Amino acid sequence: MRPGDLLFVQAYTAQAVERLAESGSLTALGLRFAAGMRETVAPWLAVALPDEVERAADRAREEHAVSG
């Protein structure tokens, strides 16, 4: 795994959870699931990482970006 890959995956996972939670398409059980996922990913995003890793993650996001 390249430096930044983990941060890349964590950030995209957190983003997906937010999109899902805010979609307006979830049942009560789905909302409960999304809330649990938010609790799971929140600590991932709170970890301070070295600048080099942050930059590597930014590059990875740019490489994988899908233009809309």
Side-chain angles (χ1 to χ4, degrees):
M1 188 177 281
R2 297 177 303 170
D5 284 352
L6 181 59
L7 182 61
F8 168 78
V9 171
Q10 290 173 334
Y12 271 92
T13 301
Q15 190 177 56
V17 169
E18 287 306 312
R19 285 183 181 174
L20 180 64
E22 295 172 1
S23 71
S25 299
L26 297 179
T27 63
L29 186 58
L31 290 169
R32 184 174 160 198
F33 169 79
M37 288 301 299
R38 277 180 170 152
E39 289 179 25
T40 298
V41 301
W44 300 351
L45 303 176
V47 174
L49 297 170
D51 288 342
E52 176 184 330
V53 174
E54 295 277 358
R55 286 191 299 275
D58 288 341
R59 284 192 301 275
R61 280 191 291 275
E62 289 171 7
E63 291 171 8
H64 294 89
V66 177
S67 58

